């Protein structure tokens, strides 16, 4: 009996001990789930719903949370001190959970390896060739103008040029080197390594960024490594990253911004936490940086906004959220994704316009007021000139918006008949001339006064006044009549009137309309007043038509009158101005040719006036573009790399830099892109028939590929079909990057597809063959990359036969020196 009592007592004791252990284990699981959910941006309600995948959450003492009991039941007194210490650690863990701020530092060895390989390939012999390579001619010149604080005009935003110039400045670059032509050798004073450093670093960072982007999309680490490897071994990306070019910066900022946006989505269950704000803001800033390198970055911004919008659309289906909470979410997301980019964009241009305050080679693109605000430019001519335009004023009238040109006339007349048999007025030609010339001068005259001298007090011209404009060199008045213009027959011809004693009287009265009189007043002012000249007889406005006259008009631009008044091409302003001092025509001509103004004070514009004008010019100004370039290509030719671009050729040998991608990567990427579209169509049709061929996880990852990577490719590729300008292969690189990422994820999808759809021995054999094929594919990618790298580095002397062996397509136009 005594033995039975002891046995029962021992069994009860063991039972209580086991029960306590089970309770502690259950509590541990709950706490571990909560802790993991907090680390992954999940709330308490998601902790047990599979929100967190994997393990690895540790407490302060370094023990796994599964080893920490939540509480100690009444026990047998054998481990009181251990339980107490565990309770203490649980209390610390709870306190840590309540604090809401955790920091976890992790190192990804594979990411660091990809970065190291990227730096090694991009930095290798970075200063060679020590010659101007392709568009280094332009971007290097912009960097030198930054050093000299001289204004320049470019159709793309300035961030990329600013980053290059900043590094060059710290390297001691003085900007005195002249980037005159492709192939010119750099002088020893040029810190070439510093000038090429920023594109090389961005091209290196691009590779691990792509790696982390694939991981963030939920794919395996090997798929992420595959994506990084394909970008690492692409010769076009290597070439574009080694010189003073913009594409590597553009693609890096775009991918990093998208990575931040995807990380932001992770915290949808824990909004407005520190990480939520951090990733959304970083994503907005980085995507704006891409936009500020080249306007192509706008498509990346659209993709980022689409991801944020898609995330919000899914949130609308959560009925637990109130209407006010959803409205607040919409406001905050809109604020961050619009206001932050606006501030960054304006800030970059503020720095640009603040640094570049001196006149430069591109001043004439800007308006007279803008030029006059630059130190040493038009201001040196216009400072001290009279402000108010009056009877007797000698003026030059500039076409304010669009093409830079001045109202011009010369003694030549319109031909009697045009090639289409239409007759002209045979009057003196009036054109718009793109250069400064003495024939650009006109004298403003009241119709009821015969003299041309400015009297005291000054008879200022006001809004609504009717005037005549007398050509300074020929003394003939600006005229228009019911005769069709030479190049624009729907408009009326403009001329200087010649009296032929025929039945065509002069019609030379013009009414002055000051467009911006709310800002500058009713009096016609030099530079500041934007005017529209209305022909009194026909009520049509003087207009720059934009059409070029043939040889009889010396290829100058046509000026007409138009019934439609309210348009940019009918806007003019006085640029240079002086008062007529002599009535004698010969004296007036000598004044116009030899007059010099005495500088008194500079014209000033606010930052916002300069900023808005520069935006207008960048978006709408007609920039001359080289047509039919021998290395230009169409978007239809890019996916199969029909034509490359010769960047540089050595004068002594066939060593050269030629932009060509890794043909294996490009062709396989195009194939896998087409395969994705084909499979997507088949899957959708099958699912419409309620045939679920894929598991939910595989289907979700396949859809993610389309939503992010396929859309990224289309966003950056399709718009080029509507671009009316010369295009080159490097314009395809942003879209190509998304195609590479899609290719890597397609490899993983095909593996899962074979594993899920095949059975038994067939599946084993198919998967083995798939792995062997993939390995061979990667080996061929590396071999081709290594073989064509001589065209990326340009440091290896090549023979003609070497180049011919690399010419895998007849359309690849290598430059070959016969030796």
């Amino acid at each position: 009996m005594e033995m039975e009592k002891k046995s029962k007592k021992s069994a009860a004791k063991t039972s209580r001990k086991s029960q306590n252990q089970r309770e502690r284990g259950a509590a541990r699981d709950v706490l571990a789930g909560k802790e993991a959910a907090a680390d992954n941006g999940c709330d308490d309600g998601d902790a047990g719903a599979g929100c967190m995948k994997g393990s690895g959450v540790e407490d302060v003492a370094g023990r796994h949370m599964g080893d920490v009991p939540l509480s100690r039941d009444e026990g047998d007194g054998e481990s009181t001190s251990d339980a107490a210490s565990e309770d203490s650690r649980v209390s610390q863990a709870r306190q840590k959970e309540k604090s809401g701020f955790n920091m976890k530092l992790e190192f990804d060895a594979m990411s660091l390896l990809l970065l190291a390989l990227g730096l090694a390939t991009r930095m290798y012999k970075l200063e060679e060739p020590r010659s101007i390579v392709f568009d280094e001619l332009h971007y290097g010149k912009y960097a030198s103008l930054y050093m000299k604080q001289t204004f320049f005009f470019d159709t793309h935003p300035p961030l990329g040029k600013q980053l290059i110039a900043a590094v060059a400045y710290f390297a001691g670059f003085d900007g005195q080197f002249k980037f005159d032509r492709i192939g010119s050798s750099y002088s020893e004073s040029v810190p070439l390594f510093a000038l090429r450093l920023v594109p090389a670093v961005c091209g290196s960072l691009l590779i691990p960024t792509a790696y982390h982007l694939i991981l963030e999309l939920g794919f395996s680490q090997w798929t992420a490594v595959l994506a990084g490897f394909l970008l690492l071994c692409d010769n076009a990306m290597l070439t574009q990253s080694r010189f003073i070019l913009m594409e590597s910066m553009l693609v890096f900022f775009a991918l990093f911004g998208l990575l931040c946006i995807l990380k932001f989505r992770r915290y949808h269950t824990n909004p407005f936490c520190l990480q939520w704000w951090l990733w959304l803001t970083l994503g907005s800033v980085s995507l704006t940086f891409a936009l500020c390198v080249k306007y192509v970055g706008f498509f990346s911004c659209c993709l980022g906004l689409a991801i944020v919008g898609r995330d919000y659309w899914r949130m609308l289906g959560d009925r637990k959220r109130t209407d006010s909470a959803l409205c607040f979410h919409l406001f905050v997301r809109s604020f961050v994704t619009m206001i932050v980019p606006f501030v960054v964009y304006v800030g970059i241009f503020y720095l640009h316009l603040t640094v570049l305050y001196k006149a430069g080679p591109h001043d004439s693109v800007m308006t007279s007021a803008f030029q006059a605000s630059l130190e040493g430019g038009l201001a040196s001519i216009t400072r001290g000139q009279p402000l108010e335009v009056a009877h007797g004023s000698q003026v030059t009238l500039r076409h304010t918006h669009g093409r830079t040109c001045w109202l011009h006339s010369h003694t030549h007349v319109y031909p009697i008949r045009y090639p289409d048999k239409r007759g002209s007025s045979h009057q003196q030609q009036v054109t718009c001339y793109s250069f400064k010339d003495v024939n650009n001068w006109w004298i403003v005259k009241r119709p009821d006064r015969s003299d041309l001298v400015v009297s005291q007090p000054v008879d200022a011209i006001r809004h609504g006044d009717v005037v005549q404009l007398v050509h300074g060199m020929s003394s003939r008045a600006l005229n228009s009549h019911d005769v069709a213009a030479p190049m624009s027959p729907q408009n009326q011809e403009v001329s200087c009137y010649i009296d032929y004693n025929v039945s065509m009287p002069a019609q030379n009265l013009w009414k002055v309309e000051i467009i911006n009189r709310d800002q500058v007043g009713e009096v016609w002012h030099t530079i500041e007043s934007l005017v529209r000249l209305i022909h009194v007889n026909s009520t049509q406005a003087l207009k720059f038509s934009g059409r070029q006259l043939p040889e009889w008009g010396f290829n100058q631009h046509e000026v007409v009158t138009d019934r439609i008044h309210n348009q940019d091409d009918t806007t003019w302003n006085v640029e240079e101005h002086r008062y007529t001092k002599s009535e004698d025509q010969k004296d007036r001509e000598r004044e116009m040719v030899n007059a010099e103004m005495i500088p008194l004070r500079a014209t000033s514009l606010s930052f916002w006036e300069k900023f808005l004008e520069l935006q207008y010019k960048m978006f709408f100004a007609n920039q001359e573009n080289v047509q039919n370039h021998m290395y230009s290509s169409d978007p239809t030719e890019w996916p199969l790399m029909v034509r490359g671009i010769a960047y540089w050729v050595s004068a002594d040998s066939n060593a050269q830099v030629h932009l060509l991608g890794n043909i294996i990567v490009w062709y396989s990427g195009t194939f896998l892109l087409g395969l994705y579209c084909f499979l997507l169509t088949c899957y959708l049709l099958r699912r419409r028939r309620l045939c679920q061929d894929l598991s939910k996880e595989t289907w979700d990852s396949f859809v993610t590929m389309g939503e992010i990577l396929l859309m990224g490719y289309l966003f950056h590729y399709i718009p080029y079909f509507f671009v009316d300008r010369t295009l080159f292969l490097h314009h395809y690189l942003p879209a190509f990057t998304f195609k590479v990422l899609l290719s890597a994820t397609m490899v993983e999808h095909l593996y899962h597809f074979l594993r899920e759809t095949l059975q038994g021995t067939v599946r084993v054999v198919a998967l083995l063959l798939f792995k062997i094929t993939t390995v061979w594919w990667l080996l061929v990618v590396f071999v081709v990359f290594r073989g064509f790298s001589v065209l990326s580095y340009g440091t290896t002397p090549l023979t003609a036969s070497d180049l011919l062996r690399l010419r895998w397509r007849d359309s690849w136009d290598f430059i070959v020196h016969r030796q």
Side-chain angles (χ1 to χ4, degrees), residues 482-778:
D482 188 16
V483 175
M487 309 304 296
S488 306
Q490 72 276 14
N491 298 121
Q492 194 165 284
E493 179 192 87
V494 175
S495 63
C496 280
Y497 183 73
I498 302 175
D499 188 2
Y500 290 123
N501 292 320
V502 295
S503 57
M504 186 179 285
Q507 297 180 6
N508 54 20
L509 300 180
W510 302 84
K511 186 174 72 171
V512 177
E513 288 188 358
I514 301 177
I515 303 171
N516 60 337
R517 58 186 179 278
D518 293 339
Q519 290 80 36
V520 301
E522 296 282 333
V523 176
W524 189 1
H525 287 167
T526 305
I527 295 180
E528 297 175 350
S529 295
L530 303 180
V531 301
R532 189 172 285 129
L533 298 171
I534 308 299
H535 188 237
V536 172
N537 296 83
S538 64
T539 68
Q540 297 188 30
L542 186 72
K543 175 187 174 182
F544 164 78
S545 73
R547 297 177 180 270
Q548 194 170 19
L549 297 171
E551 290 185 5
W552 56 259
F554 306 97
N555 301 117
Q556 296 173 17
H557 287 83
E558 180 188 47
V559 173
V560 299
T561 61
D562 197 323
R563 295 182 181 85
I564 302 174
H565 295 183
N566 189 19
Q567 51 182 310
D568 288 341
D569 285 330
T570 61
T571 305
W572 305 80
N573 69 273
V574 171
E575 185 170 271
E576 298 177 65
H577 177 210
R578 51 180 172 259
Y579 287 158
T580 303
K581 299 177 181 178
S582 173
E583 185 66 33
D584 183 73
Q585 181 175 349
K586 295 298 181 182
D587 291 339
R588 291 201 306 268
E589 291 178 5
R590 282 192 292 271
E591 286 178 18
M592 293 177 186
V593 174
N594 301 318
E596 294 184 2
M597 306 306 297
I598 301 174
L600 294 179
R601 63 183 180 85
T603 304
S604 62
L605 286 180
S606 68
F607 161 73
W608 289 108
E609 290 174 311
K610 287 185 176 182
F611 172 76
L612 293 175
E613 179 180 332
L614 186 56
Q615 298 306 300
Y616 178 89
K617 293 291 183 179
M618 292 170 70
F619 282 111
F620 301 109
N622 291 323
Q623 298 298 310
E624 294 183 2
N625 198 12
V626 179
Q627 299 295 329
N628 300 321
H629 192 283
M630 66 178 297
Y631 291 108
S632 64
S633 54
D634 296 325
T636 56
E637 299 174 314
W638 294 342
L640 297 180
M641 204 168 56
V642 174
R643 182 174 288 106
I645 312 172
Y647 273 13
W648 171 83
V649 180
S650 171
D652 305 323
S653 68
N654 282 314
Q656 59 186 277
V657 177
H658 198 99
L659 182 70
L660 278 177
N662 188 320
I663 192 170
I664 305 300
V665 177
W666 285 57
Y667 277 51
S668 57
T670 301
F671 170 75
L672 290 171
L673 175 69
L675 181 60
Y676 178 88
C677 296
F678 173 76
L679 289 178
L680 178 62
T681 304
C682 293
Y683 289 159
L684 291 176
L685 291 175
R686 293 277 293 170
R687 293 176 74 86
R688 184 64 176 170
R689 299 286 295 172
L690 301 180
C691 299
Q692 308 294 335
D693 299 308
L694 302 174
S695 65
K696 185 179 185 306
E697 182 180 357
T698 304
W699 170 249
D700 289 343
S701 66
F702 188 81
V703 171
T704 299
M705 293 159 57
E707 289 182 343
I708 307 298
L709 303 180
L710 178 63
M711 293 308 298
Y713 176 81
L714 296 177
F715 272 36
H716 291 83
Y717 179 56
I718 298 299
Y720 282 108
F721 286 92
F722 306 96
V723 172
D724 185 21
R725 56 165 295 180
T726 303
L727 298 173
F728 297 93
L729 184 64
H730 60 79
H731 290 119
Y732 183 61
L733 291 181
F736 165 76
T737 303
F738 283 96
K739 184 170 73 172
V740 168
L741 301 182
L742 181 64
S743 301
T745 56
M746 272 297 294
V747 171
E748 178 175 327
H749 175 75
L750 292 175
Y751 177 81
H752 287 297
F753 175 81
L754 294 175
R755 192 177 64 179
E756 293 180 9
T757 57
L758 301 179
Q759 301 293 330
T761 306
V762 176
R763 180 174 69 175
V764 174
V765 173
L767 292 178
L768 179 61
L769 290 175
F770 182 82
K771 292 177 182 178
I772 294 174
T773 303
T774 303
V775 171
W776 274 106
W777 173 53
L778 296 180

Side-chain angles (χ1 to χ4, degrees), residues 370-413:
F370 194 105
Q371 293 181 66
S373 67
L374 298 174
E375 180 182 300
L378 181 63
S380 64
I381 301 174
T382 58
R383 283 180 302 192
Q385 66 184 11
L387 178 63
E388 295 182 351
V389 178
H391 169 81
S393 288
Q394 300 174 14
V395 300
T396 60
L397 285 167
R398 173 183 163 132
H399 174 233
T400 303
H401 303 299
R403 188 179 182 87
T404 302
C405 62
W406 291 266
L407 190 66
H408 176 92
S409 185
H410 38 242
T411 56
H412 299 273
V413 297

Side-chain angles (χ1 to χ4, degrees), residues 195-226:
L195 285 168
R196 292 175 176 173
L197 179 62
V198 174
V201 171
C202 289
S204 304
L205 291 172
L206 167 64
I207 298 167
T209 302
Y211 166 84
H212 285 287
L213 182 62
I214 295 298
L215 288 180
E216 196 63 35
L217 289 174
F219 293 92
S220 69
Q221 186 179 39
W222 288 112
T223 302
V225 172
L226 174 60

Side-chain angles (χ1 to χ4, degrees), residues 13 122 142 346 387 404 468 505 628 700 720-721 783 803:
K13 188 176 182 180
R122 273 63 180 167
Y142 294 150
V346 172
L387 178 63
T404 302
Q468 293 174 320
N628 300 321
D700 289 343
Y720 282 108
F721 286 92
V783 170
L803 284 175

